[in-house]
Amino acid sequence: MAPSTDISNGINGSQSSAPSRSNPYQPVGDFLSNVSRFKIIESTLREGEQFANAWLDTGYARMLDDFGVDYIELTSPAASEQSKRDIEAICQLGLKAKILTHVRCHMGDAKLAVETGVDGLDLVIGTSDLLREHSHGKDMSQIITTAIDVINYVKSQGLEVRFSSEDSFRSDFVDLLSLYKAVDAIGVDRVGIADTVGCATPRQVYDLIRTLRGVVGCDIETHFHNDTGCATANAFVALEAGATHVDTSVLGIGERNGITPLGGLMARMIVSDHDYVTNKYRLHKLKEIEDFVAAAVQVNVPFNNPVTGVCAFTHKAGIHAKAILANPSTYEIINPADFGMSRYLHIQSRLTGWNAIKARVEQLGLNMSDDKIKLLTGKIKAMADVRVLTMDDTDSVIRSYVEAGLD
Amino acid sequence: MAPSTDISNGINGSQSSAPSRSNPYQPVGDFLSNVSRFKIIESTLREGEQFANAWLDTGYARMLDDFGVDYIELTSPAASEQSKRDIEAICQLGLKAKILTHVRCHMGDAKLAVETGVDGLDLVIGTSDLLREHSHGKDMSQIITTAIDVINYVKSQGLEVRFSSEDSFRSDFVDLLSLYKAVDAIGVDRVGIADTVGCATPRQVYDLIRTLRGVVGCDIETHFHNDTGCATANAFVALEAGATHVDTSVLGIGERNGITPLGGLMARMIVSDHDYVTNKYRLHKLKEIEDFVAAAVQVNVPFNNPVTGVCAFTHKAGIHAKAILANPSTYEIINPADFGMSRYLHIQSRLTGWNAIKARVEQLGLNMSDDKIKLLTGKIKAMADVRVLTMDDTDSVIRSYVEAGLD
């Protein structure tokens, strides 16, 4: 509608490397934290398939690889014949990202998975009382015996192997630690903590991961559902507590309302370590990937999506607009240019201020004294009280004000 | 598309009152925590107006009041003549919710606000170096002098008064504590912590609020922007640390990609204290309010919106479906019935399992042996490999399988 005010700045980047000394709650160096060296396991092609309408072409894996994700996780080859063929096809693409498939901790499924040519297996089993009763019916000693057999088999085939519980936050924590200690001892590459129902709170996550970090030496992967709106925050605090890998999907698509979104995680991480994120991931590709997935699964990109939502960098209120014009960092923690996006200043409302109108007058190449601009601003605010103004309306009011010789 | 499997259960409620003893990271009673006695300051009519397209009828305040929010916050009467008239009209409605208006910490604005008939004023001023330089240009001693004058004036008029910084997480923390200690001493009702740019992380929030809780005796209000996807999580940990009030808006609408959404907060809080939330708020109204706002500001309710998104209670994968059929709590932390919503089991995909198909066969009133259902499931999975199946397709496959005498 209106041109963005194109005021680039490097302030975000310099801020992240030099936090203010006067705020004791700025991030500090923490030997547990992997915020500056996290890896992404992109699961749109697995978790995303559990989204009701998901059906993605395998060529989509190339887009994720271009973006720079570390791993791409695929549906189990045991799901169907086509699932198996899809995995084999993606393994032939020669991507930089490692290819994983997500399989039940079951020898038959694991053997089928190894045959596909993947780089690694993400093994999963439910450990909560509820899942043990209503899903697979195994007790803890059966789980541990099976886990060791399957992990040893996958390792014997030279593949990477992760072992994860399901519903970790409703599992017996001592059982969980015993199980993970046992699989760590036989050389599992990663253990996984999954908030399968989306119930975990940030402080629960931090405490659980921090304790686990002291029990196992292997990597720690996390998987957070978003039922209570905490999936991005939980992924972040897990990294602070020593987790190494984060599961994401594009737009967060997955079972129910999904998991940690790739774009949301990028927004969180770029604020915490601008250089790591911008050097490792091709952030300008984010919007294209999200648009592709949205079209494929027939949803709209949410209006309030981090970074790419229509209003992510839109500023409206008068006092905000004044400060944004002077220095975008006053009201922006993310520089839209890092994602190839631009900001938009909404000046045609009753909340507008004369600084915003003045900037627009200058953009239009017109000359007007500050006093006249203040009068004009009052006129625009009064009009906006009566009806919704478009940017064109506002420009025409500005022009007519000048042409009528009022200036 | 398909009927939901209508299996009501009260398990969520009983879980929240009796957390598992075996998980040390379940919530415990904490004398600081206000998770079980928080209050909502609903700011759709203020923060929401900063959303680019927002224009809400004042009658909307009645809907918020019906829902049960504690406060309704409105735009400053200094914004425009109509803003002032809107406030006066809403104050005349005789709502149960208290009416606040959000004004700059400025004597002229405060006097204008007092004249409107509101119950209280939410005073705000920017305290970060950036805002002090680029917005209002005041130094800390000027801020504190003005704050005391304006607060004393509002109190002398018998009105409730909050004093808040803007951009609290980028402000000098010692300055902030000094300022809040001073306004607490003269009897301010609440102080506010605002993450104006959406940069705060959950652990920063917990630590800052916990420290502030030890410095002031008054209530603590929090306001979190969602630029990095942490607005709901941050509001929650703030309550754990001793904050008392949370700012929300419907669908989170507000400046840029908005603030803590009312629905998302309800999802988070019902999991933490089912009885408090269900007794206090009329959750069945949530969808209606969200639909109303979405229509008014011309956006779609995001597909992945907590609780009311189209897929919030949709289950797809085979092993999930089996457990959901046995006990919905296996994969649901929120009971959809608490919000007047229902769950939906998606059975027509290659991820489907025979337990899900069996449940559908029974819903259709058909009889089939388990062995036959397993064969039928294989057939449906193979078809789903070839093309997207609708629920009607699947039902017709099931029926034709029976009619062809294959059972």
Side-chain angles (χ1 to χ4, degrees):
Chain A
M1 208 141 83
S4 62
T5 59
D6 188 21
I7 309 170
S8 291
N9 69 84
I11 289 182
N12 293 323
S14 60
Q15 278 178 338
S16 66
S17 55
S20 160
R21 298 289 165 104
S22 57
N23 187 336
Y25 302 128
Q26 288 295 319
V28 290
D30 179 342
F31 78 99
L32 281 175
S33 174
N34 289 314
V35 162
S36 297
R37 48 178 178 262
F38 69 94
K39 291 182 177 173
I40 292 175
I41 296 180
E42 226 297 323
S43 189
T44 307
L45 290 168
R46 196 281 296 177
E47 177 69 45
E49 196 178 346
Q50 293 179 215
F51 178 73
N53 302 309
W55 183 293
L56 286 163
D57 193 88
T58 54
Y60 168 67
R62 282 195 196 277
M63 298 179 79
L64 292 175
D65 193 50
D66 273 351
F67 183 81
V69 301
D70 304 272
Y71 293 82
I72 295 173
E73 188 185 59
L74 308 174
T75 299
S76 171
S80 78
E81 276 302 312
Q82 186 61 42
S83 294
K84 186 162 180 290
R85 289 192 294 269
D86 289 347
I87 299 171
E88 289 162 349
I90 290 172
C91 289
Q92 297 298 318
L93 295 176
L95 304 179
K96 293 183 296 294
K98 288 189 182 177
I99 307 299
L100 304 173
T101 181
H102 180 263
V103 298
R104 287 178 301 176
C105 186
H106 176 280
M107 190 61 88
D109 288 9
K111 287 188 171 170
L112 196 63
V114 166
E115 288 166 12
T116 60
V118 291
D119 298 299
L121 269 62
D122 275 355
L123 301 175
V124 65
I125 194 160
T127 44
S128 73
D129 290 347
L130 281 168
L131 286 177
R132 282 152 62 186
E133 181 184 346
H134 298 292
S135 181
H136 55 67
K138 293 197 175 74
D139 68 21
M140 263 298 167
S141 67
Q142 287 173 295
I143 290 174
I144 205 160
T145 306
T146 308
I148 288 173
D149 282 354
V150 178
I151 290 165
N152 278 332
Y153 165 72
V154 179
K155 281 174 56 73
S156 76
Q157 301 299 305
L159 269 59
E160 201 172 301
V161 59
R162 178 211 71 177
F163 178 81
S164 182
S165 54
E166 254 194 315
D167 206 2
S168 314
F169 290 86
R170 295 194 301 176
S171 298
D172 183 296
F173 188 62
V174 180
D175 281 355
L176 213 60
L177 289 179
S178 306
L179 182 58
Y180 284 9
K181 189 177 174 186
V183 298
D184 184 48
I186 62 163
V188 80
D189 294 288
R190 288 188 307 284
V191 290
I193 290 292
D195 180 19
T196 306
V197 297
C199 67
T201 69
R203 293 174 68 224
Q204 289 173 344
V205 170
Y206 187 86
D207 290 348
L208 188 152
I209 299 287
R210 191 196 52 193
T211 303
L212 179 61
R213 183 66 291 169
V215 170
V216 299
C218 63
D219 284 343
I220 299 174
E221 175 180 344
T222 59
H223 182 90
F224 292 104
H225 277 264
N226 208 20
D227 300 73
T228 60
C230 294
T232 302
N234 284 344
F236 181 78
V237 297
L239 292 174
E240 288 187 311
T244 53
H245 294 62
V246 183
D247 287 6
T248 67
S249 72
V250 174
L251 298 173
I253 63 167
E255 192 83 356
R256 302 184 313 280
N257 79 332
I259 65 168
T260 307
L262 178 64
L265 185 72
M266 291 295 96
R268 178 66 267 172
M269 303 316 294
I270 199 174
V271 172
S272 299
D273 194 327
H274 180 269
D275 292 348
Y276 180 76
V277 171
T278 53
N279 289 331
K280 187 169 176 193
Y281 301 107
R282 296 177 70 186
L283 302 178
H284 287 236
K285 298 268 182 189
L286 180 64
K287 187 168 190 320
E288 180 189 343
I289 296 175
E290 288 187 345
D291 288 346
F292 180 88
V293 170
V297 304
Q298 297 178 295
V299 300
N300 295 305
V301 173
F303 73 93
N304 55 4
N305 208 44
V307 179
T308 60
V310 290
C311 57
F313 299 107
T314 298
H315 301 272
K316 186 171 182 186
I319 47 168
H320 283 208
K322 173 184 172 185
I324 278 282
L325 287 164
N327 180 347
S329 290
T330 47
Y331 286 105
E332 268 175 9
I333 195 67
I334 297 168
N335 184 348
D338 282 335
F339 291 86
M341 308 291 292
S342 54
R343 78 179 54 85
Y344 170 64
L345 210 54
H346 183 97
I347 66 165
Q348 63 276 24
S349 82
R350 68 189 192 184
L351 302 179
T352 202
W354 76 274
N355 292 280
I357 301 295
K358 182 180 180 181
R360 186 63 185 164
V361 167
E362 287 166 0
Q363 277 180 335
L364 293 172
L366 302 171
N367 281 311
M368 216 181 282
S369 68
D370 284 358
D371 285 347
K372 289 288 158 66
I373 288 171
K374 285 175 186 174
L375 286 172
L376 171 60
T377 302
K379 190 171 172 176
I380 290 170
K381 286 164 80 83
M383 286 183 68
D385 258 355
V386 180
R387 66 179 176 86
V388 175
L389 295 181
T390 67
M391 197 69 191
D392 286 347
D393 291 336
T394 312
D395 286 350
S396 115
V397 172
I398 293 173
R399 287 209 170 83
S400 68
Y401 201 76
V402 176
E403 284 161 14
L406 294 173
D407 192 56
Chain B
M1 209 142 81
S4 62
T5 58
D6 187 21
I7 308 170
S8 290
N9 69 85
I11 289 181
N12 292 324
S14 60
Q15 277 179 340
S16 65
S17 55
S20 160
R21 298 289 165 103
S22 58
N23 187 335
Y25 302 127
Q26 289 295 318
V28 290
D30 179 341
F31 78 99
L32 281 176
S33 174
N34 289 314
V35 162
S36 296
R37 48 177 179 261
F38 67 95
K39 291 184 177 171
I40 293 174
I41 297 179
E42 226 298 323
S43 188
T44 307
L45 290 168
R46 195 280 296 178
E47 177 69 45
E49 197 178 346
Q50 292 179 217
F51 178 74
N53 303 308
W55 184 293
L56 286 163
D57 192 88
T58 54
Y60 168 67
R62 282 195 196 278
M63 298 180 79
L64 291 175
D65 193 50
D66 273 351
F67 183 82
V69 302
D70 303 272
Y71 293 81
I72 295 172
E73 188 185 60
L74 308 175
T75 298
S76 171
S80 78
E81 276 301 314
Q82 186 62 41
S83 293
K84 186 162 181 289
R85 289 191 294 269
D86 289 347
I87 299 171
E88 289 162 349
I90 289 173
C91 289
Q92 296 298 319
L93 295 176
L95 304 180
K96 294 183 295 294
K98 288 188 183 176
I99 308 300
L100 303 172
T101 182
H102 180 262
V103 298
R104 287 180 300 176
C105 187
H106 176 280
M107 191 62 86
D109 288 9
K111 287 188 170 170
L112 196 62
V114 167
E115 288 166 11
T116 60
V118 291
D119 298 299
L121 268 62
D122 275 356
L123 302 175
V124 65
I125 194 160
T127 45
S128 74
D129 290 347
L130 281 168
L131 286 177
R132 282 153 61 189
E133 182 183 346
H134 298 292
S135 181
H136 55 69
K138 292 195 175 75
D139 68 20
M140 263 298 166
S141 67
Q142 288 173 295
I143 290 174
I144 204 159
T145 306
T146 307
I148 288 174
D149 283 353
V150 178
I151 291 165
N152 278 332
Y153 165 72
V154 179
K155 281 175 58 72
S156 76
Q157 302 299 305
L159 268 59
E160 204 173 299
V161 58
R162 178 211 74 177
F163 178 80
S164 182
S165 54
E166 256 194 315
D167 205 2
S168 314
F169 289 86
R170 296 194 299 177
S171 297
D172 183 297
F173 190 61
V174 179
D175 281 354
L176 213 59
L177 290 179
S178 306
L179 183 58
Y180 284 8
K181 188 177 174 187
V183 297
D184 184 49
I186 63 161
V188 80
D189 294 288
R190 289 189 304 285
V191 289
I193 290 292
D195 181 18
T196 307
V197 297
C199 67
T201 70
R203 292 173 69 225
Q204 288 173 345
V205 170
Y206 187 86
D207 290 348
L208 188 151
I209 299 287
R210 191 196 52 195
T211 303
L212 179 61
R213 182 67 291 169
V215 170
V216 299
C218 62
D219 285 343
I220 300 173
E221 175 179 344
T222 60
H223 182 90
F224 292 106
H225 277 263
N226 207 20
D227 300 73
T228 60
C230 294
T232 302
N234 284 343
F236 182 79
V237 298
L239 292 174
E240 288 186 311
T244 52
H245 294 62
V246 183
D247 287 6
T248 67
S249 72
V250 174
L251 298 173
I253 62 168
E255 192 84 355
R256 302 184 313 280
N257 78 334
I259 64 167
T260 307
L262 178 64
L265 185 72
M266 291 294 96
R268 178 65 266 172
M269 303 315 294
I270 198 173
V271 171
S272 300
D273 194 328
H274 181 269
D275 292 349
Y276 180 76
V277 171
T278 55
N279 289 332
K280 188 170 177 193
Y281 300 107
R282 296 178 70 185
L283 302 178
H284 287 236
K285 299 267 181 190
L286 180 64
K287 187 167 191 320
E288 180 189 342
I289 295 175
E290 288 187 346
D291 288 346
F292 181 88
V293 171
V297 303
Q298 297 178 294
V299 299
N300 295 305
V301 173
F303 73 94
N304 55 3
N305 207 44
V307 180
T308 60
V310 290
C311 57
F313 299 107
T314 298
H315 301 272
K316 186 172 183 186
I319 46 169
H320 282 208
K322 174 184 172 185
I324 278 283
L325 287 164
N327 179 347
S329 290
T330 48
Y331 285 106
E332 268 174 9
I333 196 67
I334 295 168
N335 184 348
D338 281 336
F339 291 87
M341 308 292 290
S342 53
R343 78 178 55 83
Y344 169 64
L345 209 55
H346 183 96
I347 67 166
Q348 62 278 21
S349 82
R350 68 190 192 184
L351 301 179
T352 201
W354 75 274
N355 292 279
I357 301 294
K358 182 180 180 182
R360 185 64 185 164
V361 167
E362 288 166 359
Q363 277 180 336
L364 294 172
L366 302 171
N367 280 312
M368 217 182 280
S369 69
D370 284 358
D371 284 348
K372 291 287 160 66
I373 288 171
K374 286 176 186 174
L375 286 172
L376 172 59
T377 302
K379 191 171 170 176
I380 290 170
K381 285 164 80 83
M383 287 183 65
D385 257 355
V386 180
R387 65 179 176 88
V388 175
L389 294 181
T390 68
M391 196 71 192
D392 286 346
D393 291 336
T394 313
D395 287 350
S396 115
V397 171
I398 293 173
R399 286 210 170 83
S400 69
Y401 201 75
V402 176
E403 283 161 14
L406 293 173
D407 193 52

